[in-house]
Amino acid sequence: MIRNKARFLRTSAILMALAIGNSCDTPGSAPTPRLVVVISVDQMRADYLDRFDAQFTGGLRWLIDNGLRFTKAHHDHATTSTGPGHTTLGTGVFPSHHGIVGNDYYDRRLRRSTYSMADSTSAILNYPEAPGRSPANLLHDGLGDWLKAQSPESKVYSVAIKDRAAIPLAGKGPDGAYWFHLPTGDFITSEYYRSEYPAWVTEFNQSDRSERFCGTHWTKLFPDSAYALSREDDFPYERDSMGRVFPHLLTGTDGLPDARYFGRIPETPFGDQLTLEFAGEMMRNEGLGLDEHVDLLFIGLSAADYIGHRYGPYSQEVQDYYLRLDRMLADFFTEVEEITGADRYVVALSADHGVMVIPEELSRRGVDAARVEWRPIPRRLNEVAAALVEDGTLASAPRVRDVTGFVFDFGDWPPSPEQMKSLAELLTAELRLRPEFSAAYTFEQVITGSGSGPIFDKLVRSVHPDRGADILYAPREYYYLTNSQGGTSHGSPYEYDTHVPLVFVGAGFSAELRDEPVRTVDLAPTLAAMLNLTLPADLDGRDLRTP
């Protein structure tokens, strides 16, 4: 635990200034860090650093004050979801190249939908009934792989609540990747990484760390007056299983720490508290940052996404989460500093995507926004497809379903390419007539680059030749297509979903605020160049240290 946050911040700032002042301007001449920590806060909008700036006093304060911070960093692909976002951060290439084009995607060769991290050959240790997980579907190596290739003695680890954060961040060949098992509260991994758990992981899971929150309340960290930056606490369009207003009781059935309870932990800041505690144990027990062989630690803070979905970005819950994260990161950075020394570690902060404000809240602010029921949309497309059977155009109608875009499922009867093309064009034209969509393109248009429009290029970067739906679309800006009556989401190509923080702190990075447009594919190349690694020739990103 942190002993003196003020001392931590003051000392770190002084040592960082000395390290920067004593280094040459030549890239790579600063002291090589012993540990690089990459933190991705799931669903963190870039504007949170500005909105809550005056209230940060801990780890986020340190990052803001001492970091090379880019204020216009964006994901430059259209499908702004967790799997594509984290993989882009870790690999330095777009989904069109790394292949993780959605949390779930349509595999065009196998003609079936696939979960991005699925691997039936990699069973979960101790939980053989759980679906297997690995980076088997990842088509491009990442920062951790580049480091291991050049420095085999270096260690690469990752941890997150979500497997689709921990796995793609770490790349193809890390020393370990762990994620949270919702039914039990354990941190788990698969046979892809190892044959048994290290003793320290077993000890962590057998402790009461994940059970200790049962029966407790998530309360506000500060008095009510501190939350004037957010809207009223009781907002009818929030969605939550623990009540809309503070305090939120975290418990299970009959007050016991059961699967219901463990599944709710990620809906509170306690989820990311556990993740950071696990990361701290990982550093100490795996010996990260102890020698001259630089190590790499990826941390995905997934609870931010669960909270943001339920309460929205202007909720008091989201504000309270970031005020707590500020304190949690101060504690964690103190642990890092005690292991490596103040001038021997680097931290990079970003996010896999942002989020849209709850549409009903936008509406009362005068924005053209709406919550649109999703069910009638695929129903209408299925009706149009069925009509083609009636007029003899098709011998059999497909089931039109959404798998990060609309897919035509013909079962065992695939139509001819000509029929598929005609069907795709007809249903795409149908979508373009609907007011809740701003764009729709056939897979052929996207993969051949034969479309146009302000969103088209982002869609091109979101589809792989072997992976992608038959129709790709973008909802109308500020329109939330959902069957849920509350909450909000992300996944669009608009600024509220693409604009994320990008901050680098540590030896080799000076404190500077830069406002030129940059992209999230730049994170991995920047860190690799700082470590003097040989960069792959096919990267979409670049080293940001040079303007």
Side-chain angles (χ1 to χ4, degrees), residues 143-401:
L143 175 61
D145 303 310
W146 313 337
L147 175 61
K148 296 286 283 187
Q150 197 159 319
S151 175
E153 301 89 348
S154 295
K155 301 169 185 175
V156 177
Y157 282 89
S158 71
V159 61
I161 289 175
K162 297 180 182 180
D163 57 49
R164 58 184 177 269
I167 292 173
L169 280 172
K172 294 182 176 181
D175 296 277
Y178 296 89
W179 52 94
F180 192 70
H181 190 225
L182 291 174
T184 65
D186 287 348
F187 280 91
I188 58 174
T189 193
S190 77
E191 292 178 352
Y192 178 90
Y193 300 99
R194 58 191 317 121
S195 59
E196 61 182 6
Y197 288 104
W200 71 266
V201 174
T202 300
E203 181 179 348
F204 188 97
N205 286 336
Q206 290 178 349
S207 71
D208 66 349
R209 295 212 192 199
S210 61
E211 295 182 2
R212 72 186 192 270
F213 305 111
C214 188
T216 63
H217 288 86
W218 172 18
T219 60
K220 293 179 186 177
L221 192 60
F222 295 110
D224 289 346
S225 59
Y227 296 84
L229 293 170
S230 301
R231 56 165 157 71
E232 68 272 22
D233 191 14
D234 189 3
F235 187 65
Y237 293 98
E238 293 179 347
R239 173 173 55 87
D240 184 51
S241 58
M242 294 181 287
R244 292 201 308 261
V245 299
F246 281 106
H248 301 285
L249 175 63
L250 177 56
T251 189
T253 306
D254 298 325
L256 300 175
D258 55 9
R260 182 169 178 250
Y261 158 76
F262 292 122
R264 287 176 169 178
I265 288 178
E267 301 175 18
T268 73
F270 307 137
D272 285 341
Q273 182 178 335
L274 276 174
T275 302
L276 288 168
E277 289 175 1
F278 188 92
E281 291 295 326
M282 181 185 291
M283 285 192 299
R284 288 186 289 273
N285 286 279
E286 299 295 350
L288 303 185
L290 293 180
D291 56 33
E292 299 307 308
H293 301 293
V294 61
D295 299 321
L296 186 55
L297 174 59
F298 294 96
I299 302 174
L301 297 178
S302 310
D305 184 68
Y306 288 87
I307 294 167
H309 273 292
R310 283 155 176 75
Y311 302 103
Y314 280 96
S315 65
Q316 295 186 26
E317 285 83 358
V318 162
Q319 181 180 353
D320 191 74
Y321 166 84
Y322 282 97
L323 297 180
R324 288 176 178 273
L325 178 62
D326 180 51
R327 292 188 171 192
M328 289 189 283
L329 289 179
D331 291 344
F332 180 73
F333 293 156
T334 297
E335 291 186 75
V336 174
E337 186 176 298
E338 289 172 347
I339 292 171
T340 68
D343 61 343
R344 299 303 298 271
Y345 70 99
V346 166
V347 176
L349 173 77
S350 193
D352 54 343
H353 53 73
V355 69
M356 187 178 81
V357 175
I358 290 177
E360 291 81 5
E361 185 174 355
L362 288 169
S363 294
R364 73 177 185 176
R365 297 183 180 200
V367 177
D368 178 14
R371 182 182 304 272
V372 179
E373 186 181 358
W374 172 254
R375 292 184 187 90
I377 298 170
R379 185 185 305 138
R380 172 57 183 163
L381 296 183
N382 277 289
E383 291 171 352
V384 173
L388 297 177
V389 177
E390 295 178 5
D391 67 15
T393 303
L394 289 176
S396 175
R399 181 168 68 94
V400 181
R401 55 195 179 91

Side-chain angles (χ1 to χ4, degrees), residues 12 68 222 325 329 483 512 547:
S12 296
L68 171 59
F222 295 110
L325 178 62
L329 289 179
N483 293 323
E512 184 182 358

